[in-house]
Amino acid sequence: MSSSVPTSLANGRYQLGQLVGRGGMAEVRVALDKRLGRTVAIKIMRSDLANDEIFLTRFRREAHSVAQMNNPNIVNIYDSGEETIVNDSGQTERVPYLVMEYVKGQTLRDIIKANGPLSQRDAEQVMLGVLNALEYSHRMGIIHRDIKPGNIMISDQGVVKVMDFGIARALDDSAATMTQSQGVVGTAQYLSPEQARGETVDMRSDLYSAGCVLYEMLTGRPPFTGDSAVAIAYQHVSEAATPPSAVIPGLPKMWDNICAKAMAKDRQNRYATATEFKNDILTFMNGGVPIAATFNQLTDLANPGARTGEATQVLNPPQVTTQTNPVMPVTTNPFVDPEGETRAQQREAEQQQRKKKRIIIAVIAAIVAIAAICGIVFALMHSKKTQMVTVPTFSSSTTEAGAEAKLEAAGLKIKVETDTNSTEPKGTFTKQSPAGGKKVAVGSTVKVWFSAGPSTGTVPDVSGKSQDDARSALEAAGFKVASSTQTEDSDTVSKDNVTRTSPAAGSKQSKGTTILLYISSGMTKVPDGLVGQSKDTVLSTLQERGFNTSVEEESSDTVPSGAVTRLDPVPGTSIEQGSTINVYVSKGKEQVTVPSVVGATYASAKATLEGLGFTVSNSTQNAKDTDLVTAQNPTAGTQADKGASITLTTKSSSSSSSSSSSSSASATGSTQQETNQP
């Protein structure tokens, strides 16, 4: 393209990605629909075509028509629009684009190019998918006009998807044969004879092209090739393709017949409908005899004698009869003829009979002529009464008054219907019958539906369901499901299953609202807020949330006995569902045996007790460090909480220094002995 491709379209809704295809008329890019969170393919037209009003009119009309189709074998069109961009010369241009379903796979053209002919079974399955698409589109009144391997996608899951439905006249690649008004008439190698002659096309023209595709799938090459599109088109009109069985030895000759009937030069001799074509293939697949068994135009046209249209008649030589006993003539009286009178009477009777026959034939001819004249008169009168007009095509911007005005101008009547199943705003046009572009008699009634406004529904609870089941339940309730999902941890929902939705289950939402699914990662977090609660409460909570537990006891200066001190792993840690959590339960404060310090100096006793974690107080006022301890509370050997207060009673040591020293030594030894005891 001559213009710079923007990074996004529709005010940033479509974020453009990598280029996945390019043709003479357009290029295709992968894009992200940021509003709906889904991947799409966007076909961006050449900017020079935006100046062709005929092209733009066809593009808008036919894109709208195709957007209403919904078939699993057709690449859906979601949206269309025009983007204003600046070209390389700095000028502003309008560029039309189409937003389509993104199909991850390969075109049939690329598959044949890489692998050659398909197996009979694969060719059958692909053709059934193509014919399903044509069956649906023809029923909708849309003729493709450019069926070819390049417009047929095979997804990675093996689903057949036909592209460019109904817009082939306006859009195509460089292999298309074009008119001066940019109207595509088809791709030369798959062109029906009537397209090559510039005549009007109908659904049988699509079936001819489908026959060419079937031929190429079976043989690995198109039925006709040449140096130019004109040379190929000439062959479509006047020549016969080599039978497939002559190209691929061993291929059942019935394929010759099926291809021949689909590719008959006279469309009257082709399959009448896609359904008839499909049923013939199904009959052959199931071991039956298809209706094409009696049709072998390819073989007949391949025979030079048959092609001249003249049959050679073999004449037998005259036979000579030899009489061994000749019969002599009988001599009679020339004046007497006994049989003459009888013969005369017979001749007169025959003449009378012939005369009667002539009269009868004349009467019959007169009756036929009169009937023909009456028929012509009736047809002329009837044609005047049933003048045909084209049904206008409406769009989402059409109002009820606008639709009525257009129909009245075309000589048609309107019947307004209310669409109660639409998700569009109230008053928006949603559909019409007959479809736009159809031919109907003047005075016919056209039904036009306008939205009653989106109805509301309750979002169903799909937690714990698989993603497929959740999507089905939500869509059945009238909602759309976002193509992307969010992953989160869950205590109880299995990995890859749905944990919740946004908007939430049970909420009232408009039909058509897009629902986001949250998916379980298979991981969960260790719950918070359990430390300090009773053991039984914590164990019950963890087990209800699917965890296994292991209990251990430990002392705690701060947590009361029987309450949980800590968890391992710590709260907030992500672990796999069903993992084991270690629960530590408090035994209360640590218990310490009170040693004996009676007889020791106050300073020594205090140091010993504080070293064991106790606090010390003295009941004697103005006690000195050298005073001797005479009593303690609690008494020696008692179990006390670590950090408990020990009260000491002392007396002055000045009365007997030797006694004091002896007592002090004894007390100190006793204290050390108590301390060293286990």
Side-chain angles (χ1 to χ4, degrees):
M1 293 186 180
S2 61
S3 301
S4 301
V5 177
T7 58
S8 63
L9 299 173
N11 295 323
R13 174 177 178 178
Y14 302 111
Q15 190 70 38
L16 296 180
Q18 65 180 2
L19 180 70
V20 293
R22 176 183 282 121
M25 304 281 290
E27 69 177 30
V28 180
R29 291 180 176 271
V30 175
L32 173 64
D33 183 344
K34 298 175 72 175
R35 182 182 299 173
L36 300 180
R38 66 181 173 189
T39 302
V40 296
I42 296 188
K43 194 167 192 175
I44 306 172
M45 301 303 114
R46 268 184 13 208
S47 58
D48 58 336
L49 295 176
N51 298 320
D52 188 333
E53 289 301 327
I54 296 177
F55 174 88
L56 280 177
T57 300
R58 284 178 176 171
F59 171 79
R60 293 165 181 155
R61 181 183 66 245
E62 298 183 14
H64 174 73
S65 298
V66 180
Q68 299 183 52
M69 294 203 302
N70 184 15
N71 183 274
N73 294 119
I74 294 176
V75 174
N76 291 319
I77 293 180
Y78 298 139
D79 193 7
S80 65
E82 297 172 19
E83 189 78 5
T84 301
I85 64 174
V86 179
N87 63 19
D88 296 338
S89 303
Q91 297 176 331
T92 301
E93 294 180 338
R94 293 179 302 168
V95 177
Y97 62 88
L98 282 177
V99 182
M100 304 179 295
E101 172 188 4
Y102 175 64
V103 180
K104 189 175 183 181
Q106 292 179 285
T107 65
L108 179 59
R109 177 183 59 191
D110 293 338
I111 292 173
I112 295 176
K113 185 177 180 180
N115 304 302
L118 275 61
S119 68
Q120 293 183 61
R121 178 60 58 179
D122 287 344
E124 291 164 351
Q125 295 301 322
V126 172
M127 186 51 56
L128 290 178
V130 172
L131 292 173
N132 277 336
L134 290 177
E135 183 180 47
Y136 177 83
S137 73
H138 291 167
R139 189 165 63 247
M140 296 289 288
I142 296 175
I143 302 168
H144 192 291
R145 296 176 172 82
D146 196 21
I147 291 294
K148 61 182 180 181
N151 278 340
I152 300 169
M153 288 287 296
I154 312 297
S155 74
D156 290 347
Q157 290 75 37
V159 179
V160 178
K161 294 275 190 178
V162 181
M163 300 186 291
D164 287 350
F165 250 98
I167 59 172
R169 290 177 299 173
L171 310 173
D172 202 16
D173 58 24
S174 57
T177 303
M178 306 291 296
T179 66
Q180 290 183 351
S181 63
Q182 298 296 337
V184 176
V185 296
T187 303
Q189 290 176 322
Y190 313 94
L191 201 67
S192 67
E194 56 269 21
Q195 286 174 287
R197 290 192 293 263
E199 299 171 356
T200 58
V201 300
D202 59 20
M203 60 187 181
R204 292 170 294 182
S205 305
D206 281 348
L207 301 184
Y208 181 95
S209 300
C212 295
V213 172
L214 175 60
Y215 184 102
E216 185 168 349
M217 287 194 292
L218 293 170
T219 64
R221 69 187 195 190
F224 300 111
T225 56
D227 296 332
S228 66
V230 174
I232 297 173
Y234 174 80
Q235 296 176 68
H236 279 289
V237 172
S238 60
E239 296 187 13
T242 304
S245 63
V247 180
I248 304 296
L251 190 69
K253 292 186 180 296
M254 190 58 72
W255 287 118
D256 300 349
N257 299 69
I258 294 175
C259 288
K261 185 166 182 64
M263 296 168 56
K265 306 299 181 188
D266 185 348
R267 65 180 105 181
Q268 298 291 337
N269 295 331
R270 292 178 208 152
Y271 291 108
T273 63
T275 303
E276 186 177 287
F277 194 170
K278 182 176 71 173
N279 289 341
D280 232 20
I281 291 179
L282 287 170
T283 300
F284 182 42
M285 289 171 62
N286 294 324
V289 179
I291 61 175
T294 59
F295 188 89
N296 201 358
Q297 187 185 30
L298 285 181
T299 304
D300 291 341
L301 290 177
N303 183 340
R307 194 176 303 156
T308 63
E310 299 176 357
T312 303
Q313 182 179 4
V314 179
L315 302 177
N316 293 325
Q319 294 182 353
V320 179
T321 304
T322 303
Q323 290 181 322
T324 56
N325 295 308
V327 178
M328 298 302 292
V330 178
T331 301
T332 61
N333 188 337
F335 300 101
V336 179
D337 186 2
E339 297 178 355
E341 185 176 354
T342 302
R343 286 198 296 271
Q345 292 174 348
Q346 288 177 346
R347 283 197 294 272
E348 184 177 356
E350 289 174 356
Q351 289 175 356
Q352 291 292 332
Q353 189 69 22
R354 284 195 293 272
K355 186 177 180 180
K356 288 181 179 179
K357 287 183 178 179
R358 284 196 296 271
I359 293 172
I360 293 172
I361 291 172
V363 171
I364 293 174
I367 293 172
V368 171
I370 293 171
I373 292 171
C374 292
I376 292 171
V377 172
F378 177 81
L380 290 173
M381 294 175 65
H382 186 66
S383 64
K384 290 181 180 179
K385 290 182 180 179
T386 57
Q387 180 183 354
M388 306 299 284
V389 294
T390 302
V391 177
T393 299
F394 304 124
S395 67
S396 58
S397 61
T398 301
T399 63
E400 184 176 329
E404 185 174 6
K406 281 189 176 181
L407 290 173
E408 286 182 355
L412 301 172
K413 300 175 183 177
I414 187 172
K415 183 177 181 183
V416 177
E417 301 281 358
T418 301
D419 189 347
T420 57
N421 294 321
S422 173
T423 59
E424 299 295 329
K426 184 177 181 179
T428 304
F429 164 81
T430 58
K431 56 184 176 178
Q432 66 183 95
S433 178
K438 286 273 191 178
K439 292 284 188 180
V440 297
V442 171
S444 298
T445 298
V446 177
K447 292 183 178 180
V448 185
W449 280 263
F450 293 91
S451 174
S455 56
T456 60
T458 302
V459 178
D461 185 359
V462 295
S463 58
K465 293 182 180 291
S466 68
Q467 295 182 51
D468 288 342
D469 289 346
R471 288 178 184 276
S472 298
L474 290 167
E475 289 170 355
F479 300 102
K480 297 177 182 178
V481 182
S483 57
S484 60
T485 58
Q486 292 287 341
T487 302
E488 65 180 3
D489 293 345
S490 172
D491 295 337
T492 56
V493 178
S494 302
K495 184 179 181 181
D496 295 330
N497 282 1
V498 177
T499 59
R500 60 188 175 95
T501 59
S502 178
S507 63
K508 295 286 186 180
Q509 302 294 332
S510 297
K511 294 291 184 69
T513 298
T514 299
I515 307 297
L516 177 65
L517 297 180
Y518 285 80
I519 308 302
S520 172
S521 65
M523 302 290 286
T524 185
K525 287 183 172 59
V526 178
D528 203 353
L530 298 181
V531 173
Q533 296 190 33
S534 69
K535 178 184 74 173
D536 292 342
T537 300
V538 172
L539 293 180
S540 176
T541 300
L542 293 176
Q543 289 164 4
E544 285 177 358
R545 297 179 67 169
F547 295 107
N548 294 314
T549 56
S550 174
V551 179
E552 295 184 30
E553 292 186 333
E554 63 181 6
S555 299
S556 174
D557 293 340
T558 57
V559 179
S561 178
V564 172
T565 60
R566 59 191 174 97
L567 300 177
D568 183 24
V570 298
T573 304
S574 287
I575 59 176
E576 291 185 3
Q577 295 172 349
S579 296
T580 298
I581 296 178
N582 295 319
V583 180
Y584 292 85
V585 180
S586 173
K587 296 187 295 183
K589 292 184 178 181
E590 182 181 350
Q591 296 293 301
V592 180
T593 302
V594 179
S596 175
V597 293
V598 174
T601 64
Y602 177 72
S604 175
K606 182 178 180 183
T608 299
L609 293 171
E610 288 180 345
L612 294 174
F614 295 112
T615 59
V616 178
S617 63
N618 194 337
S619 63
T620 306
Q621 293 183 352
N622 301 320
K624 299 178 181 178
D625 288 345
T626 56
D627 290 348
L628 299 178
V629 177
T630 59
Q632 65 182 70
N633 184 31
T635 59
T638 303
Q639 293 289 317
D641 291 342
K642 185 177 181 180
S645 177
I646 306 296
T647 302
L648 301 179
T649 302
T650 61
K651 70 175 181 178
S652 174
S653 60
S654 59
S655 59
S656 177
S657 58
S658 60
S659 174
S660 174
S661 299
S662 175
S663 297
S664 175
S666 175
T668 301
S670 175
T671 299
Q672 290 175 349
Q673 185 178 4
E674 289 288 347
T675 302
N676 291 330
Q677 287 181 354

